[in-house]
DNA sequence: CCCGATTTTGACAACCATTTTCATTTACGC
DNA sequence: GCGTAAATGAAAATGGTTGTCAAAATCGGG
């Protein structure tokens, strides 16, 4: 099932370094002349998430942000809190730990969320130079 | 700096098993006859969080939920996705992993968020019993 | 093509947790 | 008591997200 709008939204995310909000994607597309509505952007993002083609997470301010990740497999993110640059990281150790801590307490169907934040090399440099 | 309202809100959280939303806490206090405003509940919760006396996290639906944790030290949570029952867990391995994965990519000032979800023993039992 | 059926779209309104405003009440120092 | 500063809360504003629904695009025969 293909969809032109959905592909356009997906493409915007592909061109992005880090996570982007729906409003943000919408603004960029409009700025570039695309004739698309905010509602459709939300729907496209939701569809991409449901399809596993895009990762989503919540910011501390309660905003959903999206990213087209290279890997379709389960992974986590190392995000620069200044510029948003994101690196995909695998963490077998964390996967095992989460599973272990869950079963240890008798819990089943264990899932987890893990995000790592920091200041990336270039942003650190800018701060020093700043 | 003491504060009657703040203590009342803190007490409600202490009596709770898992994380509670601001609206939820407010509703309970009103139901018990307390004469308090929603705004004040929000302010009290924020103050408790700033003071490190309460942990906060965001639900998938974008709602902030709060919990009075026994430990003031850095820790994480194992939360039952059905009844909300929460266990505080320490994870030295995760702490080291997060720090390592960050420095490995040249990131500094590394922080992280980790939450583990599952179905607790009693909820599993209830499901089987139907 | 032509038309009716189906899906997609998007302007606008509705939602809802949270924040801001601001007038009133309470607490504190003297 | 009195004056000042802090706390309170009702009501309005905010803002991201979702629901509504009629118009527009797409599809599939005939
Ligand atoms: Zn950066
Ligand atoms: Zn994982
Ligand atoms: Zn449970
Ligand atoms: Zn930790």
């Amino acid at each position: 099932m293909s969809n032109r709008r959905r592909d356009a939204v997906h493409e915007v995310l592909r061109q992005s370094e880090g996570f982007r909000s729906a409003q943000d994607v919408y603004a960029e597309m409009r700025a570039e002349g695309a004739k698309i509505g905010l509602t459709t952007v939300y729907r496209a993002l939701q569809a991409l998430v449901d399809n596993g083609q895009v990762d989503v997470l919540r910011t501390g301010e309660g905003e959903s942000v999206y990213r087209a990740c290279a890997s379709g497999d389960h992974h986590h993110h190392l995000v620069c809190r200044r510029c948003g640059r994101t690196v995909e990281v695998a963490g077998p150790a964390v996967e095992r730990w989460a599973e272990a801590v869950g079963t240890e307490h008798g819990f089943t169907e264990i899932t987890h969320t893990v995000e790592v934040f920091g200041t990336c090399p270039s942003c650190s440099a800018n701060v020093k130079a700043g």
Side-chain angles (χ1 to χ4, degrees), chain A:
Chain A
M1 190 228 285
S2 67
N3 179 309
R4 192 143 28 84
R5 304 287 189 187
R6 179 149 45 224
D7 292 343
V9 169
H10 198 178
E11 189 55 25
V12 170
L13 289 184
R14 283 211 191 84
Q15 304 299 331
S16 305
E17 283 284 331
F19 284 84
R20 311 273 310 263
S21 72
Q23 312 265 354
D24 191 15
V25 169
Y26 170 69
E28 173 174 326
M29 294 180 77
R30 294 300 290 237
E32 288 177 354
K35 193 177 166 311
I36 190 173
L38 179 56
T39 307
T40 303
V41 172
Y42 272 106
R43 277 194 287 241
L45 288 170
Q46 192 53 59
L48 290 166
V49 169
D50 292 345
N51 224 41
Q53 302 174 74
V54 160
D55 283 0
V56 59
L57 64 86
R58 290 263 182 179
T59 69
E61 290 78 44
E63 190 176 43
S64 291
V65 288
Y66 308 81
R67 182 168 191 271
C69 288
S71 163
D73 298 336
H74 174 84
H75 62 272
H76 299 288
H77 303 105
L78 170 57
V79 185
C80 175
R81 67 167 64 79
R82 284 185 157 271
C83 68
R85 216 186 90 199
T86 299
V87 181
E88 294 170 40
V89 296
V94 182
E95 309 305 319
R96 281 193 300 271
W97 174 81
E99 192 67 27
V101 81
T103 55
E104 198 172 294
H105 290 83
F107 282 55
T108 53
E109 302 175 90
I110 297 155
T111 60
H112 62 270
T113 65
V114 173
E115 300 293 339
V116 184
F117 302 95
T119 305
C120 78
S122 69
C123 283
S124 305
N126 290 345
V127 170
K128 284 176 192 161

